[in-house]
Amino acid sequence: MQLTDNVVAKSGIIEPISRLYINSTTSLITAQWTASNSSSECIEGYEVCWNRSSLIFTNTTCSNVSASTSHSYSEQHENCIDYTATITTLGVNGSRSNPRFTSISISPLNVNASYINMTKTVTESSIVFAWQTSLEYPFCSISIDVCLLSTSSINSICMRAVSGELAIHLLKACALSQAIINTTISSLLIKTTTSHVEPIYTKSANSTMIQSVNVVNVTGRNVVLSWEPVYDESPCASYYSVCHLEHNSRGEPNCLAVDKTRNNITLQLLKSYTRYNVNVSAVFPDLTQSDVVVTNFRTAGKFHLNRDLNPGHSALHEDFSTDQDMRKLLIS
């Protein structure tokens, strides 16, 4: 070993460091290495160079450290910057070893709302996605891929944009789709992609959501109502609102929420022989309502007549659904 050191010293050859790696914490990156195999008497120190590269800039800073140093702290790291550490052993006679280098790329662990400011603007025929990088991460590039999968057909639309806005046009009004959104964060060396799926729907073409309301069946205490929606299952609505109130009443109507996938309801425990007014509308996610469709009905009733009051008749209870039926019996 002594002979080897003498040969190295005489020839002026300086051995490079034997191991180099970079550690990263939440705020700093550190280059660490194993010292050169050359004799300590022959080593002046080490030159440590950090290269910082992004999609929009690159720069290099170098400094010398003593021979007893085996690590070097860089400045606080930033996202979407690629760091390269280059270590060169410096000899006492001005010689330099072959450099050793290694790299690391710093990118966000995941893509979330604090990293990307994304908004969606929805109309009856288009969906526009707009986004921008948070001011805390100015060196990252963002691209968005969006696929809209129709829930009512096998059709799909897929688009990609890197400019900060993606617009999808010529969509059907009040149509529900599953949006698959892939967000990719890029630096020079690596890409990080996250995906999520969310339901999204276009707005209605206007405030008309219900074409008509029908009274299907009337009894003394119950009424079955049905309605014809403009859009099948009304995906752009949250639910239907059905409100009923006695005719000429000054009280508050009784309102019921109906799932938007249904188009009928049974109103129960009503008063017999009573006229009711009914309002049916769709309620949107912002709690505004569509145009209200109005109808009315009159419940039927039961007239009980004890035939024992008349000689020759047995006790009998008969039901009458209309005033006309009751009058016919009284006349008879």
Side-chain angles (χ1 to χ4, degrees), residues 33-146:
W33 61 89
T34 301
S36 168
N37 287 331
S38 296
S39 172
S40 59
E41 291 84 4
C42 301
I43 299 177
E44 178 73 25
Y46 300 99
E47 179 186 73
V48 180
C49 294
W50 284 101
N51 176 265
R52 301 167 69 248
S53 298
S54 74
L55 294 169
I56 58 177
F57 78 91
T58 182
N59 62 44
T60 302
T61 58
C62 296
S63 61
N64 293 344
V65 298
S66 67
S68 62
T69 302
S70 61
H71 65 272
S72 171
Y73 285 97
S74 172
E75 63 187 41
Q76 184 173 353
H77 68 61
E78 297 181 83
N79 282 292
C80 297
I81 292 183
D82 304 319
Y83 293 86
T84 300
T86 303
I87 313 298
T88 305
T89 307
L90 304 177
V92 293
N93 57 359
S95 59
R96 298 167 62 91
S97 72
N98 292 327
R100 291 285 188 267
F101 63 89
T102 189
S103 299
I104 188 173
S105 294
I106 306 298
S107 288
L109 296 178
N110 52 61
V111 182
N112 52 48
S114 64
Y115 183 82
I116 298 176
N117 300 319
M118 178 179 287
T119 59
K120 294 186 293 290
T121 303
V122 181
T123 69
E124 69 274 10
S125 62
S126 67
I127 302 173
V128 179
F129 298 85
W131 64 91
Q132 62 181 2
T133 309
S134 169
L135 295 178
E136 297 179 7
Y137 308 105
F139 306 116
C140 300
S141 172
I142 302 174
S143 62
I144 302 292
D145 295 86
V146 176

Side-chain angles (χ1 to χ4, degrees), residues 243-247 249-254 275-278:
C243 299
H244 64 280
L245 183 66
E246 293 180 36
H247 184 63
S249 172
R250 295 184 179 181
E252 291 294 324
N254 183 14
R275 184 172 297 280
Y276 287 87
N277 296 327
V278 180

Side-chain angles (χ1 to χ4, degrees), residues 196-228:
H196 74 279
V197 180
E198 64 178 79
I200 192 169
Y201 53 85
T202 51
K203 292 184 177 181
S204 60
N206 49 50
S207 56
T208 301
M209 293 288 290
I210 299 173
Q211 300 182 58
S212 61
V213 176
N214 301 307
V215 179
V216 178
N217 186 42
V218 181
T219 67
R221 301 296 301 275
N222 303 327
V223 170
V224 178
L225 301 174
S226 69
W227 52 90
E228 184 69 24

